[in-house]
Every structure is written in structure tokens, then in C-alpha cells.
Amino acid sequence: MSQYSAVTGWGMCVPERVLTNADLEKMVETTDEWITSRTGIKQRHIATPGETASTLAISAARQALERAGIEGTDLGLIIVATVCADYPFPSTANLVQHALGAQCGAFDLQAACSGFLYGLSTAHQFIATGSIQHALIIGVEVLSRIIDYEDRGTCVLFGDGAGAVVLSASAEPGGLLGFTLGSDGAKPELLWLPVGGSAEPITEEVLRQRRQYVRMQGNEVFKFATRIMGTAMEEALDKAGMTTAEMDLFIPHQANLRIIEVASKRLNLPPEKVFVNIENYGNTSAAAIPIALCEAVEQGRVFPGAHIGMVAFGAGLTWAAAVVKWTAVTVAPSDHATDAQHEAVSATHAGS
Ligand code: UT7
């Protein structure tokens, strides 16, 4: 049996603590002017010690479940896309499953910044085949734990946060209409964390050389991103049987405003069809698209029947694009996870 899969719930959670460009000026040799003009970023949210991938994910997930009007026990699958899991194992998805009281399969998925769209299209398969009714897909990162705050080439770019959606079976035509996934592992060193895996453990020597952090060849990634964003989006639109002009809202990965501008121009999209929030969050990797989707809904930029195009690229290299026809009834704006909620989640997790 083939069914449609609709987004029925959405939620987000970012740490309260903010790191501004002015703060970074005191930490590395950089300026607000450089960061703003080269990236579009003004600030990013940074986790405090009690905040982890799972605590942020659980807060975002609870909002998404509430909006979908379902309980954790209704879920048939949980996917967490992250490169910042609480632990190498077990998965962060396991921790989320327990906190939500869900009784279903749960796993982490690793496709770097493309992870959320990889998760969305994976969950869609389970729904389209009739295996499950509801899936929870979360993109979450606590990149501040693996960023070198002495490396100005990376530390100005990244932030922490989580975004979640509930994808539900629906008889109404719509939901995920088309997607494309891509991978090219020829040059992992373009953006990677080279140690701490089975290739090289973390040793005192590694720590002395400060190699326990993310390393990136920014220029090369920039060129790849500007090449792939437009192509991938067009491929997903093609699979959905749509043209670029039929897209009502474009939600690109929030990595660099200049990359977004190149992609939008290539797709011939006017600024009012392009969603940008990079100035407030920086690049939150797998969390960027679900956070942006959540804000787009809250800002009334998503309406029933709207066609939303989403595209991401990231370490691997990986890329992914998806087209979603919005069928959910939009709700009045509500606050993001409050401090109290978030503290409660941290406490639950700490005690579990
Ligand atoms: O999710 C995927 C994650 N990664 C990305 O999306 C990264 C894509 N790449 C980029 O966004 C850009 O390449 C960066 C923002 C990382 C760098 O911007 P750029 O315009 O490509 O700068 P650049 O690397 O060519 O460096 C230009 C200059 C260099 O100085 P010199 O050699 O010309 O003297 C850098 O050392 O800017 C210098 N620079 C900085 N200056 C002030 C690099 N980072 C900084 C900084 N502040 N933070």
C-alpha cells in the first residue's frame, strides 16, 4: 500500500547562550565586518555544559509531537541526524526514544549537514510502504564541542541547535513529493574530524597538535556548494514533476549567505521566496533546515498547499534535496522551548 507522508508537527530548540561576532573579535583575529560580509552571520547559539544533542533534540521533539497532536507511544520510527551524538554509542536516538516514552525503532543517521533531508526521505519510505503511521525526524548538533575556537576559519561559522518534524501517513495527496540524495567520498579531508574514529584514536599527541577538532578547506567546500545546490534542487523538483517557478518557498542549508545567493540566482528565485535565518544561528549543520522550516511556519511563510524546496550539502561530501507540499494546517506562532521545559528535559535525561 502506498501512502502520502505529510509533515504534521514541527519544533525547534536552541541554547539560550549567544556568541556574537563582537565576542569572537575578542577570541580570534577577526572582525564583525569580515564575518558579516563573508558569511552573513551575526551570532550563533552555543550550548552550556548541561546541554547535549539529546537534551536539545528532546525539547524540539516534544514541540513537534504536541503540534502533531500525538504521543511518543504513537511513533513508529525515530531518526536523529547528527555528527555530535551524546556518545559514540549508544545512539542519541535511543536516548530520545526513552525520554519520549516511545516504543519503536530508533537510530542515528550520519550525513553531516545533509542529514536531516537524508532522514526525511528515509522516514518517507517507511510511511509510503504502510509500515508505520508516524515518524520523528530530528536534526541536532552541538558543534561547539568539536570546533577549535583558535581556528578563525571555522569557529566563526558554526552554532548549536535542534529541529524536529513529525512525518505522518496521509491519504491526502502531498507531503514529500520528490527527493534526491548524493555522496562523493573522494576527498573526506575537505571537511572532517580526522581523529577519534577507528582510523586514529585520540592520543596525547593529537591533543598537543589540536587535531581533535573539525578541519575544513573552506574555499573548496564553497566551490562544491555553489555547484551542487542548484543541481540537486532541480533534480528533486524534476522527480516531483515540478518546475523551479512552482516552488513557493526555498529553504536552503544555512551555511553561508553568499552560497545561498548563488543558489537562489541559479534557480532564478526572487528574495521573497528564499528563507534565510543564518544571521541568528550560523551554520547548525543537520539542524539548519528543520530550524529554518520551523521558523518559516511560525512566520506564516508556509501555507497549506505551499510547495517547499529544501537543499543541503555537507561533509562527506554529501548533498540532498527534497520537495514537500505542505498539507498541515498551520497554527498560531508559539514560543520556542522555554528555559523551564528545557531544564526539565535535561533533568529527565540526567536522571535516566
Ligand atoms: O555545511 C558545510 C560547511 N562549510 C561551508 O559551508 C563552508 C563554505 N565556505 C565558506 O563559507 C567560505 O569559504 C569561508 C567563510 C569559510 C571563508 O570565506 P572565503 O571568502 O572563502 O575566504 P578565504 O578562505 O578565501 O580567506 C580569505 C582571507 C584569508 O586571508 P588571506 O590569505 O587573504 O590573507 C583568510 O585567512 O580571509 C582570511 N580569513 C579571515 N579573516 C578574518 C579566514 N577566516 C577569517 C576570519 N576573519 N574569520
Side-chain angles (χ1 to χ4, degrees):
M1 183 170 88
S2 187
Q3 308 194 47
Y4 296 102
S5 60
V7 175
T8 52
W10 53 92
M12 62 176 277
C13 178
V14 293
E16 282 286 309
R17 186 171 146 213
V18 162
L19 186 69
T20 64
N21 291 354
D23 295 329
L24 282 161
E25 282 179 350
K26 295 178 204 132
M27 297 162 64
V28 287
E29 205 182 322
T30 192
T31 59
D32 173 44
E33 198 283 326
W34 192 96
I35 302 171
T36 306
S37 63
R38 298 289 181 121
T39 71
I41 302 166
K42 299 297 283 183
Q43 64 169 43
R44 59 296 285 144
H45 292 252
I46 301 293
T48 47
E51 291 173 309
T52 69
S54 68
T55 67
L56 297 176
I58 291 162
S59 289
R62 290 210 163 119
Q63 276 187 8
L65 290 179
E66 195 183 323
R67 290 205 170 108
I70 63 167
E71 305 287 331
T73 46
D74 296 318
L75 289 170
L77 180 68
I78 298 172
I79 301 176
V80 174
T82 187
V83 298
C84 305
D86 283 27
Y87 314 110
F89 69 87
S91 74
T92 297
N94 284 137
L95 308 175
V96 172
Q97 167 268 316
H98 173 70
L100 299 179
Q103 295 151 10
C104 62
F107 64 89
D108 284 5
L109 178 160
Q110 215 267 61
C113 304
S114 312
F116 174 75
L117 295 181
Y118 264 72
L120 194 72
S121 35
T122 302
H124 169 73
Q125 310 307 314
F126 285 82
I127 290 172
T129 53
S131 304
I132 61 168
Q133 287 293 304
H134 303 283
L136 174 67
I137 306 103
I138 304 169
V140 58
E141 304 290 7
V142 187
L143 291 160
S144 59
R145 301 269 151 75
I146 53 170
I147 292 296
D148 184 353
Y149 285 94
E150 291 185 11
D151 174 13
R152 68 177 184 175
T154 52
C155 75
V156 303
L157 300 175
F158 296 100
D160 302 335
V165 301
V166 172
L167 201 64
S168 305
S170 168
E172 188 185 341
L176 188 67
L177 300 180
F179 67 90
T180 186
L181 306 178
S183 165
D184 177 0
K187 291 184 180 167
E189 67 278 8
L190 292 183
L191 176 51
W192 69 345
L193 204 166
V195 301
S198 60
E200 188 178 350
I202 295 181
T203 58
E204 280 183 20
E205 181 66 1
V206 164
L207 298 178
R208 204 180 53 72
Q209 297 168 342
R210 300 182 69 79
R211 290 199 298 120
Q212 73 274 31
Y213 297 117
V214 171
R215 289 287 173 252
M216 179 175 74
Q217 296 174 31
N219 257 316
E220 292 303 313
V221 178
F222 190 99
K223 281 187 249 169
F224 158 71
T226 51
R227 245 194 350 263
I228 204 72
M229 294 266 273
T231 312
M233 192 67 257
E234 279 169 355
E235 257 180 53
L237 284 163
D238 198 44
K239 288 185 179 170
M242 285 172 53
T243 64
T244 310
E246 289 172 301
M247 198 163 41
D248 297 297
L249 187 65
F250 178 50
I251 303 184
H253 176 42
Q254 307 285 310
N256 185 317
L257 186 58
R258 289 186 294 144
I259 295 174
I260 294 173
E261 285 168 355
V262 171
S264 308
K265 198 170 166 204
R266 153 84 198 273
L267 294 165
N268 207 16
L269 294 170
E272 60 273 19
K273 281 193 174 185
V274 182
F275 191 86
V276 178
N277 65 359
I278 190 172
E279 66 278 11
N280 292 327
Y281 303 107
N283 180 350
T284 56
S285 186
I289 287 186
I291 287 175
L293 176 64
C294 203
E295 291 204 326
V297 177
E298 292 193 19
Q299 292 170 17
R301 294 185 65 181
V302 172
F303 51 89
H307 289 93
I308 307 164
M310 298 174 276
V311 62
F313 64 92
L317 298 166
T318 59
W319 59 95
V323 182
V324 166
K325 183 178 178 190
W326 195 258
T327 48
V329 175
T330 46
V331 295
S334 74
D335 291 337
H336 300 158
T338 61
D339 280 351
Q341 272 175 324
H342 195 206
E343 272 163 29
V345 170
S346 302
T348 309
H349 177 49
S352 63

